Amino acid sequence: MANTARRIVVSGATGKQGGALISSLLSASSHPFEIYALTRNATSRSAVALSTKPNVFVIQGNFDNPVAVFSQVEKPWGFFSVTNPMDAKKEEAQGKAMTKAAIDAGIKHIVFTATDRGKNSDEDPTTVPHFASKFKVEKDIVEKSKQSGGTWTFLRPVAFYENLSNDFLGKGFISMWRLNGNDSKMKFVSTKDIGKVAAEAFLKADSEQYKNKAIALAGDEISLEEFGNVFKEETGQVLPETFSFVGKGLKFALHEQLGIMFNWFKTNGFGVDPAESKKAYAFLKDFRTWLRTESAWKRE
Ligand SMILES: NC(=O)c1ccc[n+]([C@@H]2O[C@H](COP(=O)([O-])OP(=O)(O)OC[C@H]3O[C@@H](n4cnc5c(N)ncnc54)[C@H](OP(=O)(O)O)[C@@H]3O)[C@@H](O)[C@H]2O)c1
């Protein structure tokens, strides 16, 4: 790689979206980047695996100390921002502090992955605390980029297919969804597909398509009943699920993170039309395709 390579700091690099971005960049026919993959623990298995990839440099740091993160990268150009939603106030503070440190370090283009927020994502923070925190991080990026002359792309994905899993949280997800009714619809997207769009947002940062644009992403809209039918057809199994009292307990115990959000799914719901998303990104997978090709139940 020539010394002129643009340097991108990727947060959430060991997670689903950041990991998918890195895979997409590495599989591009050519990419002019050096990738600085952020993790809190450079010795974890996923961090070590990243460090073996070409043009990937693992850096250790924490959203709590953003200046120390960017001080490890000389002349960084791009920043992929993922935030931690467990405590919305902290998410907002960390997200804004990461933006400030990124811009102070000279970052020119920020790709922030937030979330779709219904019919009016640009103006409505929603009642969901960790959607509202992302709304505020977006507004802050717009403001700070205006001052610095930098650019941004916001990704606004809907629910991840990867929420479906055979563990406690995956089973809880289906139980909480079922509390909204078998006919209640949900919109989904594959995190690998988000990674592809994120990679393009860096590769074509100056284009009309990505420069200072917000992009909502969905691959499917499906009722719980259909979701279960497709799952049965593809895997021969019933959906991983737990008792409804567990779903209710989760919504109660994690009211801020899950309870309010599942209520919002019923009263409002994601806004983007998957057909519109697919006009721009034909590769966005529907549920059946995701099950077949990427899920833990995929056909070998
Ligand atoms: N699940 C959904 O359906 C859905 C839908 C739309 C949006 N979202 C949003 O997506 C985001 C999560 O993205 P994801 O699912 O791709 O992530 P993920 O797979 O849950 O991984 C989390 C990543 O964040 C890093 N991280 C966490 N806390 C950190 C800290 N204090 N300092 C530095 N790094 C930290 C972790 O790195 P290490 O562990 O290596 O340090 C890891 O790479 C959340 O904001 C969530 O609200 C989720």
Side-chain angles (χ1 to χ4, degrees):
M1 173 84 37
N3 286 335
T4 54
R6 284 178 162 178
R7 301 194 170 117
I8 300 179
V9 177
V10 176
S11 65
T14 57
K16 293 182 283 298
Q17 299 178 90
L21 161 64
I22 293 174
S23 298
S24 286
L25 285 175
L26 295 181
S27 63
S29 51
S30 74
H31 75 81
F33 302 122
E34 278 179 1
I35 298 164
Y36 290 79
L38 174 64
T39 178
R40 286 166 295 181
N41 179 8
T43 62
S44 74
R45 213 163 65 176
S46 36
V48 170
L50 278 172
S51 69
T52 63
K53 298 190 186 297
N55 296 316
V56 178
F57 305 91
V58 169
I59 54 173
Q60 190 164 301
N62 196 304
F63 298 154
D64 286 335
N65 191 355
V67 174
V69 169
F70 293 97
S71 68
Q72 298 176 60
V73 185
E74 200 185 331
K75 292 190 184 155
W77 169 84
F79 173 43
F80 182 67
S81 180
V82 174
T83 48
N84 183 338
M86 287 313 287
D87 170 340
K89 280 207 165 66
K90 200 168 171 188
E91 176 177 30
E92 180 187 339
Q94 286 179 332
K96 288 179 173 176
M98 287 295 284
T99 301
K100 179 176 186 324
I103 289 178
D104 288 349
I107 294 274
K108 300 288 183 282
H109 188 64
I110 296 176
V111 178
F112 173 50
T113 182
T115 185
D116 181 276
R117 290 180 293 269
K119 295 289 174 211
N120 193 8
S121 287
D122 283 337
E123 302 301 332
D124 183 6
T126 80
T127 52
V128 183
H130 58 92
F131 288 16
S133 42
K134 290 176 176 65
F135 172 87
K136 290 174 193 156
V137 172
E138 285 185 1
K139 296 286 179 211
D140 183 63
I141 290 173
V142 171
E143 208 39 55
K144 289 196 171 94
S145 300
K146 241 184 236 160
Q147 288 162 14
S148 72
T151 55
W152 48 266
T153 308
F154 299 149
L155 305 182
R156 291 176 179 160
V158 296
F160 301 165
Y161 292 123
E162 288 78 5
N163 294 326
L164 177 66
S165 60
N166 212 357
D167 56 16
F168 178 69
L169 270 184
K171 290 177 183 176
F173 177 84
I174 299 296
S175 298
M176 287 184 281
W177 184 4
R178 199 170 298 286
L179 293 172
N180 285 348
N182 288 340
D183 58 350
S184 69
K185 290 192 169 179
M186 185 85 85
K187 294 178 184 177
F188 287 96
V189 68
S190 143
T191 53
K192 285 215 168 77
D193 292 346
I194 300 171
K196 280 189 193 178
V197 179
E200 269 202 24
F202 284 113
L203 286 160
K204 302 178 185 170
D206 283 335
S207 68
E208 269 297 293
Q209 194 178 354
Y210 291 104
K211 186 175 165 184
N212 299 340
K213 292 283 160 47
I215 298 164
L217 293 170
D220 207 348
E221 177 174 21
I222 187 164
S223 71
L224 179 54
E225 187 173 7
E226 291 170 81
F227 197 80
N229 290 342
V230 172
F231 189 80
K232 185 88 206 277
E233 283 162 22
E234 291 298 321
T235 69
Q237 301 170 34
V238 293
L239 277 176
E241 185 169 1
T242 180
F243 305 104
S244 71
F245 74 83
V246 177
K248 282 182 190 153
L250 272 171
K251 281 184 68 178
F252 179 77
L254 293 171
H255 183 66
E256 294 266 308
Q257 296 86 355
L258 297 173
I260 298 173
M261 180 175 72
F262 273 87
N263 292 342
W264 182 87
F265 288 152
K266 191 170 169 88
T267 55
N268 298 66
F270 293 118
V272 60
D273 176 358
E276 282 301 311
S277 280
K278 284 181 191 181
K279 277 187 194 161
Y281 305 104
F283 56 78
L284 290 172
K285 293 177 197 73
D286 62 11
F287 178 47
R288 192 182 294 277
T289 310
W290 176 80
L291 262 180
R292 279 185 189 177
T293 60
E294 284 176 18
S295 74
W297 299 268
K298 72 181 175 191
R299 297 175 185 178
E300 299 305 329

